[in-house]
Amino acid sequence: MRNRNTSGNSSFVMLKANGVNFKTIIDVGVGDKGTPVFLDLFPEAKHILIENDTVVLDEIKRTYTGARIDYELIEAHVDEFNNPLNNILKHHKHKWLRPCILKIDIDGLDLQALRGAIELFPYVDWILIETTIKVNRLYKKLDFISGQHDWVLWDIVDPHYGYGRLVQVDLLFC
């Protein structure tokens, strides 16, 4: 394997260089500009985008259409009980080409989203979640994904600092 730095971009460049070429990307909390690393490295993948911020939907459409990426945009608020990912994506999972990555970036609700996605786990090969570095929250996420569901923490990327300390990272599981 090639070496890399601590950016998610570098991590995905390394994965792609070593034969991991995502065919399906489920991007929960895509944001107005999309996920640049996925746009740049995996433009041939099917991108399933889930966003609840109606203000950014037109910008998302412009970004993905302009990049000529095959995408589906689903406007939905994701949570554990009322609108879990299992329900939002229940008709999609059998169509996903592999390898498939599930990225969750919904500002503090990632554990709830993961709990509502358990039925999707057999159809997903990688999971990327953004998390804050609050010890009990980080532990609960690691326990849920690795302890209860046997996903392996493959990388920790994109450290963000605030007030002189580490406050947020992205965790990549396989």
Side-chain angles (χ1 to χ4, degrees):
M1 288 250 162
R2 296 180 183 175
N3 289 328
R4 56 159 195 84
N5 61 34
T6 60
S7 78
N9 187 54
S10 175
S11 196
F12 286 108
V13 166
M14 185 178 73
L15 282 174
K16 190 166 184 173
N18 286 285
V20 178
N21 192 18
F22 294 111
K23 302 293 181 207
T24 305
I25 297 169
I26 301 108
D27 195 339
V28 183
V30 65
D32 61 343
K33 300 293 183 197
T35 302
V37 66
F38 294 155
L39 287 163
D40 294 342
L41 292 177
F42 308 105
E44 69 287 343
K46 170 73 173 188
H47 293 242
I48 300 169
L49 314 172
I50 301 173
E51 180 58 62
N52 75 329
D53 185 354
T54 56
V55 174
V56 301
L57 296 179
D58 287 337
E59 183 63 30
I60 292 169
K61 292 174 188 174
R62 278 192 293 279
T63 298
Y64 283 81
T65 301
R68 295 189 173 141
I69 289 181
D70 181 15
Y71 76 95
E72 179 179 349
L73 179 58
I74 300 168
E75 182 184 344
H77 173 78
V78 177
D79 64 36
E80 184 177 354
F81 302 108
N82 297 321
N83 205 21
L85 282 172
N86 292 334
N87 290 350
I88 294 169
L89 296 169
K90 67 183 170 188
H91 300 295
H92 292 75
K93 62 188 176 188
H94 298 290
K95 302 176 203 169
W96 295 342
L97 297 177
R98 310 285 287 270
C100 175
I101 185 167
L102 170 62
K103 179 214 132 206
I104 300 176
D105 179 359
I106 53 175
D107 298 327
L109 299 175
D110 40 300
L111 182 55
Q112 291 86 338
L114 282 167
R115 286 183 177 141
I118 293 172
E119 293 172 23
L120 305 176
F121 287 179
Y123 304 93
V124 173
D125 304 291
W126 294 80
I127 297 174
L128 178 68
I129 61 167
E130 180 184 84
T131 185
T132 58
I133 305 297
K134 292 183 180 175
V135 175
N136 61 339
R137 285 187 182 174
L138 180 59
Y139 172 78
K140 287 178 184 178
K141 291 169 193 171
L142 289 169
D143 180 56
F144 179 78
I145 298 172
S146 294
Q148 297 175 36
H149 293 283
D150 297 323
W151 287 83
V152 175
L153 179 60
W154 191 81
D155 207 353
I156 300 173
V157 297
D158 291 336
H160 296 276
Y161 296 88
Y163 307 106
R165 68 176 186 85
L166 182 65
V167 295
Q168 178 178 299
V169 295
D170 290 348
L171 304 175
L172 181 60
F173 296 87
C174 62

Coordinates of all heavy atoms in Angstrom, one line a residue, residues 60-90:
I60 N -26.9 21.9 -5.4 CA -26.5 20.5 -5.5 C -26.8 20.0 -7.0 O -26.0 19.4 -7.6 CB -27.3 19.6 -4.5 CG1 -26.8 19.9 -3.1 CG2 -27.0 18.1 -4.8 CD1 -27.6 19.3 -2.0
K61 N -28.0 20.3 -7.4 CA -28.4 19.9 -8.8 C -27.4 20.5 -9.8 O -27.0 19.8 -10.8 CB -29.8 20.3 -9.1 CG -30.9 19.5 -8.3 CD -32.2 20.1 -8.6 CE -33.2 19.4 -7.6 NZ -34.6 20.1 -7.7
R62 N -27.1 21.7 -9.7 CA -26.2 22.4 -10.6 C -24.8 21.8 -10.6 O -24.2 21.5 -11.6 CB -26.1 23.9 -10.3 CG -27.2 24.7 -10.9 CD -26.8 26.2 -10.8 NE -26.8 26.7 -9.5 CZ -27.9 27.1 -8.8 NH1 -29.1 26.9 -9.3 NH2 -27.8 27.5 -7.5
T63 N -24.3 21.5 -9.4 CA -23.0 20.9 -9.2 C -22.9 19.5 -9.9 O -22.0 19.3 -10.6 CB -22.6 20.8 -7.7 OG1 -22.6 22.1 -7.1 CG2 -21.3 20.1 -7.5
Y64 N -23.8 18.7 -9.6 CA -23.8 17.3 -10.1 C -24.1 17.2 -11.6 O -23.5 16.5 -12.3 CB -24.6 16.3 -9.3 CG -23.9 16.0 -8.0 CD1 -24.0 16.9 -6.9 CD2 -23.2 14.8 -7.9 CE1 -23.3 16.6 -5.7 CE2 -22.6 14.5 -6.7 CZ -22.6 15.4 -5.6 OH -21.9 15.1 -4.5
T65 N -25.1 18.0 -12.0 CA -25.4 18.1 -13.4 C -24.2 18.6 -14.2 O -23.9 18.1 -15.3 CB -26.7 18.9 -13.7 OG1 -27.7 18.3 -12.9 CG2 -27.0 18.9 -15.2
G66 N -23.6 19.7 -13.7 CA -22.5 20.3 -14.4 C -21.3 19.4 -14.5 O -20.5 19.5 -15.5
A67 N -21.1 18.5 -13.5 CA -20.0 17.6 -13.5 C -20.4 16.3 -14.3 O -19.5 15.4 -14.4 CB -19.6 17.2 -12.1
R68 N -21.6 16.3 -14.8 CA -22.0 15.1 -15.6 C -22.0 13.8 -14.8 O -21.5 12.8 -15.3 CB -21.3 15.0 -16.9 CG -21.6 16.1 -17.8 CD -21.0 15.9 -19.2 NE -21.4 17.0 -20.1 CZ -20.6 17.5 -21.0 NH1 -19.4 17.1 -21.1 NH2 -21.1 18.5 -21.7
I69 N -22.4 13.9 -13.6 CA -22.4 12.7 -12.7 C -23.8 12.1 -12.6 O -24.8 12.9 -12.5 CB -21.9 13.1 -11.3 CG1 -20.4 13.4 -11.4 CG2 -22.2 12.1 -10.3 CD1 -19.7 13.8 -10.2
D70 N -23.9 10.8 -12.7 CA -25.2 10.1 -12.5 C -25.5 10.2 -11.0 O -24.9 9.6 -10.2 CB -25.0 8.7 -13.0 CG -26.3 7.9 -12.9 OD1 -27.4 8.5 -12.7 OD2 -26.2 6.6 -12.9
Y71 N -26.6 10.9 -10.7 CA -27.0 11.1 -9.3 C -28.5 11.0 -9.2 O -29.3 11.2 -10.2 CB -26.5 12.4 -8.8 CG -27.3 13.6 -9.3 CD1 -28.3 14.2 -8.5 CD2 -27.0 14.3 -10.5 CE1 -29.0 15.3 -8.9 CE2 -27.7 15.4 -10.9 CZ -28.7 15.9 -10.1 OH -29.4 17.0 -10.6
E72 N -28.9 10.8 -8.0 CA -30.3 10.9 -7.6 C -30.3 11.7 -6.3 O -29.6 11.4 -5.4 CB -30.9 9.5 -7.3 CG -32.4 9.5 -6.9 CD -33.0 8.2 -6.7 OE1 -32.3 7.2 -7.1 OE2 -34.1 8.1 -6.1
L73 N -31.1 12.7 -6.3 CA -31.2 13.6 -5.1 C -32.5 13.3 -4.4 O -33.6 13.4 -4.9 CB -31.2 15.1 -5.5 CG -31.2 16.1 -4.4 CD1 -30.2 15.9 -3.4 CD2 -31.2 17.5 -5.0
I74 N -32.4 12.9 -3.1 CA -33.6 12.7 -2.2 C -33.6 13.7 -1.2 O -32.7 13.9 -0.4 CB -33.4 11.3 -1.6 CG1 -33.4 10.2 -2.7 CG2 -34.6 11.0 -0.7 CD1 -33.0 8.8 -2.2
E75 N -34.7 14.5 -1.1 CA -34.9 15.5 -0.1 C -35.5 14.8 1.1 O -36.7 14.3 1.1 CB -35.8 16.6 -0.6 CG -36.0 17.7 0.4 CD -37.0 18.8 0.0 OE1 -37.3 18.8 -1.2 OE2 -37.4 19.5 0.8
A76 N -34.8 14.7 2.2 CA -35.3 14.0 3.4 C -34.5 14.4 4.6 O -33.3 14.6 4.6 CB -35.2 12.4 3.2
H77 N -35.2 14.4 5.7 CA -34.6 14.6 7.0 C -34.4 13.2 7.6 O -35.3 12.4 7.6 CB -35.5 15.4 8.0 CG -35.0 15.4 9.4 ND1 -34.0 16.3 9.7 CD2 -35.3 14.7 10.5 CE1 -33.7 16.1 11.0 NE2 -34.5 15.2 11.5
V78 N -33.2 12.9 8.0 CA -32.9 11.5 8.5 C -32.8 11.5 10.0 O -32.2 12.4 10.6 CB -31.5 11.1 7.9 CG1 -31.1 9.7 8.4 CG2 -31.5 11.1 6.4
D79 N -33.5 10.5 10.6 CA -33.3 10.3 12.0 C -33.4 8.8 12.3 O -33.6 8.0 11.3 CB -34.2 11.1 12.9 CG -35.7 10.8 12.6 OD1 -36.0 9.6 12.4 OD2 -36.5 11.7 12.7
E80 N -33.3 8.4 13.5 CA -33.3 7.0 13.9 C -34.7 6.3 13.8 O -34.8 5.2 13.4 CB -32.8 6.8 15.3 CG -32.6 5.4 15.7 CD -32.0 5.3 17.1 OE1 -31.6 6.3 17.7 OE2 -31.9 4.2 17.6
F81 N -35.8 7.0 14.1 CA -37.1 6.4 14.3 C -38.1 6.8 13.3 O -38.7 6.0 12.6 CB -37.6 6.7 15.7 CG -36.7 6.2 16.8 CD1 -36.0 7.1 17.6 CD2 -36.5 4.8 17.0 CE1 -35.2 6.6 18.6 CE2 -35.7 4.3 18.0 CZ -35.0 5.2 18.8
N82 N -38.3 8.1 13.1 CA -39.4 8.6 12.2 C -39.0 8.5 10.7 O -39.9 8.2 9.9 CB -39.7 10.1 12.5 CG -40.2 10.2 13.9 OD1 -41.0 9.3 14.4 ND2 -39.8 11.2 14.6
N83 N -37.8 8.7 10.4 CA -37.4 8.6 9.0 C -36.0 8.0 8.8 O -35.1 8.7 8.4 CB -37.4 10.0 8.4 CG -37.6 10.0 6.9 OD1 -38.1 9.0 6.3 ND2 -37.3 11.0 6.2
P84 N -35.8 6.7 9.2 CA -34.5 6.1 9.2 C -34.0 5.8 7.7 O -34.9 5.7 6.8 CB -34.7 4.8 9.9 CG -36.2 4.5 9.7 CD -36.9 5.8 9.7
L85 N -32.7 5.7 7.6 CA -32.2 5.4 6.3 C -32.7 4.1 5.7 O -32.9 4.0 4.5 CB -30.6 5.4 6.3 CG -30.0 6.8 6.4 CD1 -28.5 6.6 6.7 CD2 -30.2 7.5 5.1
N86 N -33.0 3.2 6.6 CA -33.5 1.9 6.1 C -34.8 2.1 5.3 O -35.0 1.5 4.2 CB -33.9 1.0 7.3 CG -32.7 0.5 8.0 OD1 -31.6 0.4 7.5 ND2 -32.9 0.2 9.3
N87 N -35.7 3.0 5.7 CA -36.9 3.3 5.0 C -36.7 4.2 3.8 O -37.3 3.9 2.7 CB -37.9 4.0 5.9 CG -38.5 3.0 7.0 OD1 -38.2 1.8 7.0 ND2 -39.1 3.6 8.0
I88 N -35.8 5.2 3.9 CA -35.6 6.1 2.8 C -35.0 5.3 1.6 O -35.3 5.6 0.5 CB -34.6 7.2 3.2 CG1 -35.3 8.1 4.3 CG2 -34.2 8.0 2.0 CD1 -34.4 9.1 5.0
L89 N -34.1 4.3 1.9 CA -33.4 3.7 0.8 C -33.8 2.2 0.6 O -33.1 1.5 -0.1 CB -31.9 3.7 1.1 CG -31.3 5.1 1.1 CD1 -29.9 5.1 1.7 CD2 -31.3 5.7 -0.3
K90 N -34.9 1.8 1.2 CA -35.3 0.4 1.1 C -35.5 -0.1 -0.3 O -35.2 -1.3 -0.6 CB -36.5 0.1 1.9 CG -37.8 0.7 1.4 CD -38.9 0.4 2.4 CE -40.2 1.3 2.0 NZ -41.2 1.2 3.0

